[in-house]
Amino acid sequence: MAPKRKPPVKRKRTGDGNEKEQEGKKDVDSGKRGAPPSLRPSRAKKEHVPPSTGLASDTILTPPSSAPAKMARNFEARETPEGEQSVPPASSRADASDADLIPEAPIEVAAAKRSPEASSPVPDKPGSDNRTSVREHGGRQGAGRDRERKGRGQRGGGGRGGGREEGRKGGGRGRGTLDGTPSAKKGLEGGQVGKGREGGPGGTSCAAKQAAGDRLSALAREHWPNRATPFANTFQPQVVRAIYEEEIGPEAMGQRGPGGQKLQALELSAYLEAYLWPFYDHATADKAHLLSLVLLIVQKLREGVSAWESLRTSVREGEGEATTAKFTGFFTRVLRLYLESPLLPSPTPNPSAASPKEKFLLLLFLIHAFQSLEEPMVRGVMLRLTSLSLWEALSEGRRKIELENFPPLRRHWLHLQEQKKRNEGVQENGEVGTGKEGSETPQAHGRKRKKEGDRKKTGEGEGADALSSFESTFLPEAIDEFLAVVEAIPAPPSEGLTPASGMPGSENGLAGTEHASTHVLTRFALRFLELLIDLLAQLPTRRFLKALLQDRHLSVRLSLSPFLALPPPATPPPHHRLASQLSDSLRFYLSFEINDHTGMPLTDNEMASLHFSRTHVLQRLAFKYFQNSLKDLAFASSAAVGDATVLASFLSRLSDEELVDVARKLRLVGRAEGGKEEGREGGRAFWTEVLVDWHAKRQNMIQEINERPLYADEQVLWDPNVVPTEGGTEDGAVVVVEGPLLALPKLNLQFLTFVDYLLRSYTLFRVESAYEIRADLMTTLRYLQPVRQEGPEGGVAFRGWARMGVPLRKGGKDGGRGVVITEVLKPNLGERIPAGVKAEITVDLREGGREGGREEWDLLREHDVVFLVRIENPQGGGASGAGRGGGRQGGRRNEEEEARVFCEEFGVKYVRGAEIWEVRDGAGNLMNDPSGRPGREAGRGGGPVGSLRTYKVLLDPAQYHADATREGGKGGGAATAAGVYEGMNVLIRRSAKENNFKAILATIRGLMTTAYVGNAVPAWLHDVFLGYGDPAQAHYKNLALEEQLLRRVDFGDTFLDWRHLQEAFPHHRVCLQSEGGKEGGRKVVGSEELEASPYPALTLDFNAEDTEIVARPYQAPNPGPYPQDHPAKNSVRFTPVQVEAIRSGMNPGLTMVVGPPGTGKTDVAVQIILNLYRLFPTQRFLVVTHSNAALNDIFEKLRGRAIDPRHMLRLGAGEKELNVEGRGQEGGYDFTKWGRVNYTLARRLELLGEVTRLARSLGVQEGEGGSGGGTEGNFTCETAEYFRLYQVQSRIEAFEAAIKEGGKDGGVVTTAFPFTAFFSTAPQPLFRSTTVSWADDLEVARGCFRHLDRLFEELADYRAFELLRHHGMRGDYLLTKQARIVAMTCTHAALTRGRLVELGFKFDGLVMEEAAQILEVETFIPMLLQEVDPIEGCRLKRVVLIGDHHQLPPIIQNQALQKYARLDQSLFARFVRLGVKTVQLDRQGRARPSLAALYAWRYKDLGNLPNVTSLPHYLLANPGMAHSFQCINVEDFRGQGESQPSPYFYQNLGEAEYCVALYMYLRLCGYPAEKISILTTYNGQKSLLEDVLRQRCGSQGGFYFGRPAAVETVDRYQGQQNDYVILSLVRTRNIGHIRDVRRLVVAMSRARLGLYAFCRQSLFESCHELTPAFSRLLSRPSVLELAMGERFDGWEEGREGVRKEGESPAPGQGYRVQGPEQLGSLCHQLLADYQHQQQLQWQYHQQQLINQQQKEEARLQEQERVAPALAPPQPLEEGEERE
């Protein structure tokens, strides 16, 4: 038997840049691929570098012999850890020499573009006759290698011989060649994949997989068009047929072939876009062509790549749109093939039918198609399958019920029947629903349609007419086949299933047989359930389908089928749990509380009324026809009849005939069941279940949600169907494209109701948090290493230590227990679960032998979440090493298997969550003071006492109730539940940043229970949010309430001058309102008016047609005499599109602003906020972003503008970063809640001081004239108001009277002004006191009055602070009453929603930045931070969403949730998919135009702002670099490309060395380190780059190089930018997750002046999705080119030798680098030269200092020498004589 195949690695994209790639094990020594098998190591270990020891050797940057010995020591190789392979330095290697490290002679930079043939491993052969097999194509170089693979079976010979030598020689069944010649007896030489497994006979090695990719790439180059020759080759169907049958078809690959590699090779070669679709013709295309299209489309959609866009345009059709008729014909062929390919045995086999695996592939295609209804051509086809025509398959009685329930449909039904009769030429008369087509069975109709098979197979009638025949038959026939399948599935065997994924395995598949095996039927049934759930979860597809499913009694037949119903003794098969969960989900959506025709949600009363109406009909029927048997039922209460058990007991009194008669009279007998189900085995149980299912009362959905625990327990955490790992592990053709199947809802375009939206979000968010919790728990328990204690008492001991976990204190001298239930509150009225459960947890932080991490445990605060774990009887798994990810590579288990057996090995029995509400130390002192000061009641030293900690926690009442019910039954439940918690022996905490899930889940659940959740959004947003109606109806120009549109808008300082106004509205006729003008006071703004008038104050009037603008200039009032009274003005010259975005944001409605990189999204958001603040002084606005950095950026730009600081408030954890120095008052510009409180208190004292100074200047004495009775300096806010009324206002009135009497005398203003003394501190003079300046002086005086008005109005706002004494009350007052601009992150909004609603927080507008990076539900919650006003309704008037859906979406850790459930979908991206009108900013001002072109193709008409084409640093070339951007090809470094030291930890040593060497070179050229960032796409490469930087630029080298501004992954660098970016793409085997174009856009748009990407050119240039960017990147040489002799210092325009952008280096300066070794050697030479220059400069300066010192000494000596001679004569003493 062949050895078991190791599961391939899977791909996972995380927010850190990690990716899990599905790929098989590959040989590493690719350099020896041509060696004989005896010399080729088949199991050679990969030479990799762990994160901590990232470098195997340091020879790459070893300096030449001429370099100083001191620098050579700086770059010596560090110690190699024991057990790691060490590579000797270059000097010790036999093949190394000094010449290897000396760069080539400088060469001129090549100006010509790279030849496309240069990188082609196999040249094109235009002379070939194309009669070569797939095996031979492109594989001639490996023909000899293949012939030498004797007995290994890497490529079997077309037969079924298991891949052995005889199979390779030609035994078995052949597939045919490319020329169509069959080879039934002689297999293609090397043309078939063996059926063995990898590593054994018939297995497929890495070399074979690579060879397969090479062959397919060679086929692509020869056969399908490319950019050079788009129409050179003709289509050859035998090529498609051979590729499908030999390479990618399910039957060719089996279940263990290299399907992923082959499909990827075909995808990268644009097989779908360039060959399959352009040459598809539904009249001539064969089945292989059709299924190849389906396979490629499904694969692309599964990978998140847009496949429909590939169908709309193609290479052959150029830019033209693919016609709808073509797609309709293709889709019709898919439907026909699906119906003509039965899964169950058929008496008349169809030779052209698809195999079961191929039919399964068609089902996957239908699932993806129904999830892509945003595509017009897909929507136009798919919705026809779920139209009213479906009701032709209903029974007559059921159809009458539906038409009676919704009478408007009767007219449409009659019209449909008349149209059908006209089309068929049949004249029939009769009542509704009795036509010929309506009375025949789906099987009969299928036979009728099959008679026309010959005509349709030839292509006649394909398209819309042919598709119409499937509208009423496809889904009914598909559903009937599904029911037949689930009823035909026997009790599944215990083998052949994959328990980890819940999906059937593939080992027992009957490849090549006519009909499906049990496991294929099971997989098909599970996927068909997924399709039905998807259809019921969208209103357009649900509306008519639900009646069909109910008429087929699908849920009842499903529950009674062997697929789900098992005898009690039987052990459920692995798929049974997943099938049951999917069945429950189907039943949930079948009974969802919504009106299927109107889309309105049904209230509890309406649902009760519907239930009672059904029970009353049954009771009346029982009373009328079955009094003998059902008399008690007729008089029973509605509650009794609604009870399933009671109703079943009533129905048990009926005979079989009576039971069916009851169902028939209730019109519950469907077409298929009429006269058939009466005699079937188990028919009585079936009809009883049908009646019970129709009449039983269902549990309220909200009540059921409230009774579910918020915390995930052990059953949820390790259920692979609910909390998946990373999807399937098989590599078969179908499994590759299948993806995971989970019992989870999906986020798609549309939702049934707001409750449905919240419920899906709640479920998925809970699963995502459970996935992260599970990973943290597994990591912590591995570190703790639990082991079973020997001895009579047994127990568990922990041999390890974990920072995030601690064993619970149990027993001991005090006899204490780890967890003690202290209080269980009684349930609230009408509820079953307790109102609350409290417990105490006692831990000793010294447990485990270490005290490290105690400070972190002491930081636990109120509302933090911890987890309790109970370990029992561990099997020794904990002692096998610690750390996350251990045991997942090589011969060890993968992640999926590891998660499945983790509980058993580690003995995990229970996992429970708890919320902390109090923390005490060993002495009982409170540690979690609400003020945030730990240890307030601690000992004298102020710190916690002892190592014991007591945590008082709140347990989950729903979980406690479930434990009591499950464990204790009806009696003793509380005691048993308490035992569950008291047996816990581990306490685990999580990082605070990742531990806020509980509050968010509670918020979402609380919203679901809110009755007004559907009314919490404005009416104009309701339908758009759910995905229905006109997508443009929420735009301000389309609002139903016309009066809401702002026809007159004050734009404030939006426009810089008059010319800016006209430029901003190029499509409007701009007029100026003037008194003497024409046209009613208007004149068109012409060149004479376009003078440079800075900051004109304008009010713009828009006419009804929005074609003319009347500008009304006005004089802005003087705000005051002080400089702080004049805020900063706008300095951004907004483009016309930006002005439209600002105008849209100011109007009511929904505004969607798409902002490409560098287009000024934040500036637009700031201007919208400023204009709204000024226009609506009574309204309040909420600002929300995804990150704290973006929110702080907005506040930084708002600070200093025309917004009063007291009206701004910042909430959330990042608020401390806004603590900026202010104008001297305490708190400054700290916009946090507590900072605003401190600011207010300090500001109040400052203003009262001003009032006191004003009183002194006016000479007001104590108690005089209403001064409040206070003394000077003792004003309050209340007495200040009195002072204003009696002392200030009276003087202002006297001044106005004096001005009125004095006329326009120049000195009257100065004379009458009453506050001259007070304003003496303002800039002087205040007045010019001339007749000419009278108006100006009067405006200055009134500006002073406005200054005083603001002073007293601000004091009036602070008056409440004199009454509120508590700090918290003051903060709440600021939030709810004073602040008008409140900002927070979306996470903080979700965490504090309950508190904000409780406080009565209100707002009128929402501005959300980074909207494309925020989860759906986290975008929705900020809209619901206020209660709905019972009179006004929803107060929200405008919603502004700003983002870029072309950049990275929200971060989701679990790839299965990301791909299957689309949890990474943002509301912004969904609105774009729906077609909501957007405003895309079209001018970027960040990057050079040449750099912007790398990502501008992704946006429509993205241009450049003038600054990037005029400023000097954009015009000049990058000094030292020949180009502003380059894509540098990096081949294998020391025989190795990418590596994986640990799973999903991708590294590339060659690229890391190259990137660091380039960074060193730039630093040596004088580039500042803070202007350079190094980015990569993977965390593993990031770690390696840091290691290389630490060694190359550390120690003494750090003095010269330093650290770059950032070494980060592309994902985490989104939203940031730098002047120069060095990018490493890492991968050399697969494209990786950079294939996501959104990640590519982020990577290309981070640089402003220079971008240098390092990658494997041959890999990335072949990817179709990346072609627009890499075609531009590769327009430059793929070899790094430098410009020697240029330096960053003094690189200024106009200086000699300074190049401009696009100019080549001067002759002799061009230098081409051939690899990282050469660049490293160059850096050492430059460094040596630099050090030598520094040494010479130092010596020169030292010599100058010595010379200067010598001169100074000589001067002093000379001065001492001549000093006595020049000194004046000294006076003689008495008696002394002069000599």
Side-chain angles (χ1 to χ4, degrees), residues 911-930:
V911 176
R912 299 292 182 265
E915 179 182 349
I916 292 178
W917 64 279
E918 187 175 291
V919 182
R920 293 188 179 273
D921 60 10
N925 299 315
L926 181 66
M927 296 178 60
N928 61 324
D929 181 29

Side-chain angles (χ1 to χ4, degrees), residues 882-893:
R884 181 177 182 178
R888 293 189 291 180
Q889 195 176 5
R892 296 170 287 185
R893 294 188 299 268

Side-chain angles (χ1 to χ4, degrees), residues 7 239 446 1253 1281 1543 1611 1715:
V239 174
R1253 188 170 67 87
E1281 184 63 25
D1611 292 44

Side-chain angles (χ1 to χ4, degrees), residues 1035-1081:
H1035 192 258
Y1036 75 96
K1037 294 183 179 179
N1038 301 326
L1039 289 181
L1041 299 179
E1042 185 67 22
E1043 62 274 9
Q1044 294 183 357
L1045 181 63
L1046 299 180
R1047 294 296 183 189
R1048 176 172 295 182
V1049 185
D1050 185 359
F1051 280 88
D1053 60 353
T1054 303
F1055 306 108
L1056 304 185
D1057 49 49
W1058 288 102
R1059 186 178 297 275
H1060 186 200
L1061 169 63
Q1062 194 174 46
E1063 293 172 353
F1065 297 99
H1067 304 295
H1068 291 73
R1069 180 170 179 264
V1070 182
C1071 302
L1072 180 65
Q1073 184 75 22
S1074 62
E1075 297 181 359
K1078 300 179 181 180
E1079 300 183 13

Side-chain angles (χ1 to χ4, degrees), residues 162-216:
R164 298 181 182 273
E165 183 177 3
E166 59 269 23
R168 189 178 66 252
K169 288 182 179 180
R173 197 169 59 186
R175 295 291 179 185
T177 58
L178 284 180
D179 59 357
T181 305
S183 58
K185 296 182 180 180
K186 180 180 179 181
L188 296 176
E189 181 179 352
Q192 294 301 320
V193 181
K195 299 301 177 183
R197 298 183 182 177
E198 184 177 350
T204 305
S205 67
C206 176
K209 296 177 182 180
Q210 184 67 34
D214 293 341
R215 290 193 305 275
L216 294 175

Side-chain angles (χ1 to χ4, degrees), residues 796-997:
V796 178
F798 298 92
R799 302 196 308 180
W801 177 85
R803 181 176 296 275
M804 308 302 289
V806 60
L808 292 181
R809 180 179 176 84
K810 298 188 65 177
K813 297 181 180 180
D814 56 352
R817 292 172 293 178
V819 181
V820 180
I821 304 296
T822 59
E823 184 179 8
V824 180
L825 302 178
K826 294 182 178 180
N828 296 325
L829 185 63
E831 298 181 357
R832 294 184 295 179
I833 63 175
V837 181
K838 297 182 179 180
E840 287 187 2
I841 306 173
T842 304
V843 300
D844 190 345
L845 298 182
R846 292 178 300 183
E847 291 287 346
R850 299 189 190 180
E851 296 190 15
R854 179 187 296 186
E855 296 80 5
E856 298 178 7
W857 282 93
D858 290 341
L859 292 177
L860 288 177
R861 290 291 175 266
E862 187 178 5
H863 304 304
D864 286 348
V865 175
V866 294
F867 288 89
L868 299 164
V869 183
R870 184 172 179 175
I871 304 294
E872 288 186 1
N873 299 323
Q875 303 301 317
S880 61
R884 181 177 182 178
R888 293 189 291 180
Q889 195 176 5
R892 296 170 287 185
R893 294 188 299 268
N894 59 21
E895 180 184 4
E896 192 172 6
E897 297 171 344
E898 183 181 7
R900 186 173 69 252
V901 301
F902 181 86
C903 290
E904 178 181 354
E905 288 193 355
F906 283 81
V908 178
K909 187 173 183 180
Y910 297 115
V911 176
R912 299 292 182 265
E915 179 182 349
I916 292 178
W917 64 279
E918 187 175 291
V919 182
R920 293 188 179 273
D921 60 10
N925 299 315
L926 181 66
M927 296 178 60
N928 61 324
D929 181 29
S931 64
R933 298 186 296 271
R936 182 173 59 92
E937 299 180 4
R940 295 180 180 179
V945 177
S947 61
L948 289 180
R949 298 291 181 269
T950 300
Y951 301 102
K952 296 185 178 182
V953 299
L954 301 175
L955 302 178
D956 191 340
Q959 184 66 65
Y960 182 87
H961 176 73
D963 292 334
T965 304
R966 180 175 60 250
E967 300 290 344
K970 295 183 179 179
T976 309
V980 171
Y981 291 91
E982 292 173 357
M984 299 291 180
N985 47 17
V986 178
L987 178 67
I988 297 178
R989 63 183 177 88
R990 301 180 67 221
S991 172
K993 293 183 179 180
E994 304 170 354
N995 210 25
N996 52 18
F997 70 96

Side-chain angles (χ1 to χ4, degrees), residues 1111-1134:
R1112 301 176 182 271
Y1114 64 90
Q1115 181 68 35
N1118 189 322
Y1122 293 97
Q1124 56 267 29
D1125 293 330
H1126 300 264
K1129 298 288 187 179
N1130 167 47
S1131 60
V1132 179
R1133 196 174 190 88
F1134 292 110

